[in-house]
């Protein structure tokens, strides 16, 4: 009888720990995807997303402020990217801010970088579309270096 009671206590502790771990995991994942913070949706259009994926981070001045919600191909030369941005930082993102695609680290994940606009412009609102610029790729730089070295020699 004592043995069954001990097993039930162990089972109860195991189930309680599993539930706590599940709640912590949901909180961590939800925090990364901005599920528990108020956000707005803005968009931009790129010619080439260069490996960007849904869920990748959005940064403003080096700080993670949101993530990529959705991407759709509009035509053979444009891709629509929808971004989720924390409401607490939208006062810094102006309507003339510019979006581009960058890399986390040297060979890391792709991220959307929002470059600051001018302070005299109003801030973005839900549904606004940011202008985008195409990033400079390492391959392009290497081609230029090769062409320059050939010209020098």
């Amino acid at each position: 009888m004592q043995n069954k009671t001990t097993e039930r206590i162990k089972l109860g502790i195991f189930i309680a720990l599993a539930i706590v771990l599940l709640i912590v995991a949901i909180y961590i994942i939800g925090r990364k995807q901005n599920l528990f913070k108020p956000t707005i949706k803005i968009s931009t259009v790129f010619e080439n997303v260069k490996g960007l994926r849904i869920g990748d981070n959005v940064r403003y001045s080096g700080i993670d402020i949101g993530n990529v919600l959705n991407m759709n191909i509009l035509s053979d030369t444009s891709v629509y990217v929808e971004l989720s941005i924390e409401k607490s930082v939208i006062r810094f993102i102006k309507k003339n801010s510019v979006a581009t695609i960058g890399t986390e680290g040297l060979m890391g994940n792709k991220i959307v970088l929002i470059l600051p606009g001018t302070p005299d412009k109003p801030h973005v609102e839900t549904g606004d579309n940011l202008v985008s610029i195409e990033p400079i790729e390492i391959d392009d730089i290497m081609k230029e270096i090769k062409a320059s070295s050939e010209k020098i020699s």
Side-chain angles (χ1 to χ4, degrees):
M1 191 70 167
Q2 179 75 359
N3 201 12
K4 284 189 175 186
T5 306
T6 323
E7 287 180 10
R8 287 183 179 160
I9 291 173
K10 287 180 182 178
L11 180 62
I13 292 172
F14 177 76
I15 290 173
L17 285 175
I19 290 172
V20 168
L21 286 175
L22 178 66
I23 290 170
V24 168
I26 288 171
Y27 176 74
I28 290 171
I29 292 169
R31 188 169 165 211
K32 180 169 174 33
Q33 297 296 323
N34 292 326
L35 295 178
F36 305 122
K37 293 181 182 178
T39 60
I40 67 164
K41 294 178 185 177
I42 61 174
S43 61
T44 186
V45 177
F46 291 105
E47 287 181 19
N48 184 347
V49 292
K50 307 204 184 288
L52 187 70
R53 293 178 298 193
I54 293 173
D56 283 346
N57 290 332
V58 176
R59 283 197 182 148
Y60 180 83
S61 296
I63 299 170
D64 291 337
I65 60 166
N67 55 23
V68 177
L69 277 183
N70 196 7
M71 292 189 295
N72 294 314
I73 298 173
L74 297 177
S75 69
D76 58 341
T77 60
S78 60
V79 179
Y80 172 83
V81 178
E82 186 177 26
L83 310 171
S84 172
I85 306 294
E86 294 175 17
K87 272 193 175 180
S88 62
V89 297
I90 62 168
R91 66 178 189 252
F92 302 110
I93 304 171
K94 305 301 179 183
K95 289 192 183 271
N96 66 343
S97 294
V98 177
T100 187
I101 296 175
T103 305
E104 267 184 321
L106 187 58
M107 301 296 275
N109 295 330
K110 297 293 183 180
I111 57 173
V112 175
L113 299 169
I114 298 179
L115 307 175
T118 54
D120 59 330
K121 298 290 183 183
H123 64 78
V124 294
E125 298 171 356
T126 299
D128 282 349
N129 189 19
L130 294 180
V131 174
S132 66
I133 57 173
E134 294 303 311
I136 298 173
E137 288 293 313
I138 299 246
D139 292 339
D140 298 335
I141 295 171
M142 295 304 287
K143 287 177 188 175
E144 288 295 321
I145 291 173
K146 182 179 178 185
S148 296
S149 67
E150 287 174 357
K151 288 179 184 177
I152 291 173
S153 60

